[in-house]
Amino acid sequence: MEKIKMNTPLVEMDGDEMTRILWKMIKDELLLPFIELKTEYYDLGLGCRNETNDQVTIDSANATRKYGVAVKCATITPNAARVEEYDLKEMWKSPNGTIRAILDGTVFRTPIKVKGIEPCVKNWEKPITIARHAYGDVYKNVEMKIPGAGKAELVFTAADGTQTKETIFEFDGPGIIQGQHNVKTSIESFARSCFNYALDIRQDLWFATKDTISKKYDHTFKDIFQEVFDKEYKERFEQAGITYFYTLIDDAVARVMKSSGGFIWACKNYDGDVMSDMISSACGSLAMMTSVLVSPEGVYEYEAAHGTVQRHYYNHLKGEETSTNSVATIFAWTGALRKRGELDHLKELQDFADNLEAACVETIESGKMTKDLALITELKDPVVLSSEGFIRAVREQLQKKYA
Ligand code: NAP
Ligand code: MG
């Protein structure tokens, strides 16, 4: 077969450990035989980040802004143990955090549905996508332990020196307090990313906060979403036949449990942290989740939702056979290739992404899967394949489509 052509390169961000091994296998077995793959390569493996003083991460994010689409392998976020293991000059920051800060994006996570790996919630016929605001609130809080009686106040000092004060509480004994913040521009970006993504995948958007209790903080989120929607998106939503729906967070949770899925659920930072773990575990595993960072200016970075699978990597280094699930990493590639195909009007590239995803799903549904899925599938007598064996089985399935 003649290889599928590309015009614009994808920004390719390589990573660490077991996912770096899978990355190469995916390229060799599933991409290079079919596509004249064009990428601009950035090695975000910890060694290269250390050598370049993390400049490579910043360069890769800037390249993503330039080209519009990136695909990222899982990477190590260093801790004290990693500093020693890799003899690091510094405890470099999380690459995902650095990239997110440069692109100012929102992360959308969606379970990958296959027959035989059914969600615990029986009525979830279609996947639910979680959009998590990735700035502020409790993640940028300031806390204090109150040792004893006294008055706690919120004080804002304006640029001109004028002060506004609110009493938080008059303590008559020990306690705790916490200060949180968010900024208008970040909430607006979050709203735009959500509205754009809803239009992109033509699904309804839900958003929920606790605005009845938090009449200024949470209510501001509600108001900003509504303003941005009315001004910039209302008509386009009508044309696309989709809706924007706001409700209270507890009402949203109740409705989500009873829904049949197939919508995007936008969450404040903390709600998104908690709810994305609920959705992913209800749907099987992190290895069966897609994840994409969408910036308000319309730049896309696709990745897997899981980490570098360190435990499997150490087994691999000892020469033991591994059975690591590559589906989320494959779907990071297909997501990026499909988006590149859309932007460059390359139908064959978009079709290839569809075919590769279908090949993964069909392979699993035929009973061939990695160990993590074999443990939870409802299919009888699944065949457990190695990391490489699964990718080969997907290749056979894909080749049938191009025979
Ligand atoms: P992890 O890589 O997500 O793996 C945790 C466990 O989940 C694994 O040991 C494995 O369970 C299971 N698992 C995850 N992905 C799997 C897959 N594809 N196939 C089969 N099983 C899978 O988390 P971690 O081991 O805690 O973290 C390792 C490194 O990843 C850390 O250095 C962390 O900084 C980094 N990390 C990176 C990202 C990212 O780049 N997006 C995200 C999270 C973590 P069993 O051992 O039971 O088989
Ligand atoms: Mg979490």
Side-chain angles (χ1 to χ4, degrees):
M1 127 191 200
E2 203 185 318
K3 288 193 190 178
I4 297 162
K5 300 229 169 8
M6 292 178 65
N7 297 340
T8 319
L10 283 179
V11 176
E12 176 184 354
M13 304 170 174
D14 207 346
D16 289 299
E17 298 194 312
M18 200 59 211
T19 41
R20 190 182 179 97
I21 309 279
L22 297 178
W23 195 259
K24 183 164 187 322
M25 287 181 194
I26 291 167
K27 283 177 72 179
D28 289 345
E29 291 285 330
L30 301 177
L31 304 178
L32 294 169
F34 301 90
I35 307 175
E36 264 180 30
L37 192 65
K38 267 194 188 172
T39 71
E40 190 164 294
Y41 180 86
Y42 293 86
D43 186 358
L44 301 199
L46 191 48
C48 183
R49 278 184 275 149
N50 190 50
E51 268 164 40
T52 62
N53 298 327
D54 212 20
Q55 187 59 39
V56 66
T57 308
I58 295 163
D59 291 346
S60 73
N62 286 330
T64 306
R65 294 188 71 182
K66 176 176 164 194
Y67 291 111
V69 188
V71 55
K72 180 180 171 292
C73 181
T75 47
I76 293 169
T77 297
N79 54 17
R82 299 298 199 164
V83 171
E84 201 170 314
E85 182 183 355
Y86 285 82
D87 193 17
L88 300 181
K89 298 184 227 173
E90 253 181 60
M91 200 185 288
W92 304 110
K93 282 195 232 153
S94 151
N96 290 341
T98 303
I99 294 165
R100 214 175 284 152
I102 294 172
L103 301 182
D104 181 24
T106 299
V107 176
F108 296 84
R109 291 197 162 171
T110 314
I112 299 164
K113 283 212 71 178
V114 295
K115 287 195 203 82
I117 319 276
E118 304 300 339
C120 308
V121 182
K122 293 283 174 261
N123 43 287
W124 286 355
E125 289 159 23
K126 286 164 277 174
I128 295 168
T129 297
I130 295 277
R132 174 182 171 189
H133 186 208
Y135 179 81
D137 302 351
V138 74
Y139 302 86
K140 288 257 185 221
N141 72 354
V142 179
E143 303 181 320
M144 230 187 248
K145 280 197 175 179
I146 303 299
K151 182 159 96 169
E153 291 178 301
L154 272 183
V155 182
F156 170 69
T157 311
D160 68 2
T162 40
Q163 291 197 325
T164 321
K165 277 188 201 174
E166 289 282 347
T167 301
I168 299 171
F169 194 62
E170 308 236 12
F171 287 92
D172 55 15
I176 40 178
I177 56 170
Q178 180 185 70
Q180 293 187 26
H181 82 278
N182 222 299
V183 288
K184 191 167 180 239
T185 50
S186 175
I187 302 168
E188 285 170 346
S189 294
F190 172 46
R192 288 199 182 94
S193 295
C194 292
F195 292 131
N196 285 339
Y197 196 67
L199 285 168
D200 229 22
I201 65 169
R202 278 183 177 254
Q203 286 189 358
D204 292 344
L205 178 71
W206 296 18
F207 181 45
T209 71
K210 194 69 181 174
D211 65 285
T212 47
I213 299 297
S214 173
K215 291 195 169 63
K216 289 190 179 144
Y217 199 101
D218 276 18
H219 214 291
T220 300
F221 278 82
K222 176 183 177 180
D223 292 343
I224 289 176
F225 263 69
Q226 197 62 50
E227 265 169 49
V228 172
F229 180 70
D230 289 342
K231 256 193 227 148
E232 303 171 30
Y233 291 93
K234 202 167 191 236
E235 278 171 26
R236 279 190 276 167
F237 265 53
E238 276 165 15
Q239 278 159 14
I242 57 174
T243 55
Y244 167 60
F245 169 64
Y246 178 87
T247 187
L248 272 178
I249 184 75
D250 31 0
D251 181 48
V253 169
R255 284 171 187 258
V256 163
M257 294 312 279
K258 288 189 218 142
S259 78
S260 57
F263 56 88
I264 303 164
W265 182 11
C267 292
K268 284 178 63 198
N269 210 348
Y270 174 82
D271 298 338
D273 187 353
V274 175
M275 295 307 167
S276 64
D277 279 12
M278 182 192 75
I279 300 272
S280 66
S281 49
C283 292
S285 99
L286 273 188
M288 296 298 284
M289 279 295 260
T290 64
S291 183
V292 57
L293 176 77
V294 181
S295 87
E297 57 189 14
V299 161
Y300 295 75
E301 184 239 318
Y302 294 84
E303 58 177 0
H306 57 76
T308 61
V309 214
Q310 180 182 20
R311 198 183 67 78
H312 295 205
Y313 180 60
Y314 288 159
N315 291 341
H316 169 82
L317 289 181
K318 279 188 262 169
E320 290 168 19
E321 191 174 86
T322 58
S323 182
T324 314
N325 190 335
S326 49
V327 171
T329 307
I330 296 172
F331 273 60
W333 275 101
T334 52
L337 290 167
R338 182 184 295 107
K339 179 52 72 180
R340 196 66 269 169
E342 275 170 34
L343 295 175
D344 295 352
H345 308 290
L346 301 172
K347 173 103 183 10
E348 284 194 345
L349 198 59
Q350 295 174 55
D351 290 346
F352 176 79
D354 293 345
N355 284 330
L356 178 49
E357 288 181 2
C360 286
V361 171
E362 287 157 10
T363 302
I364 297 168
E365 289 179 350
S366 78
K368 296 178 207 163
M369 59 192 80
T370 44
K371 192 174 161 195
D372 57 316
L373 297 184
L375 291 171
I376 57 171
T377 184
E378 287 161 22
L379 295 177
K380 291 259 177 316
D381 307 318
V383 181
V384 178
L385 297 177
S386 66
S387 308
E388 207 170 4
F390 177 74
I391 290 172
R392 288 235 179 83
V394 172
R395 176 165 177 178
E396 270 172 36
Q397 194 66 24
L398 180 61
Q399 249 156 355
K400 282 186 210 159
K401 296 179 192 293
Y402 285 98

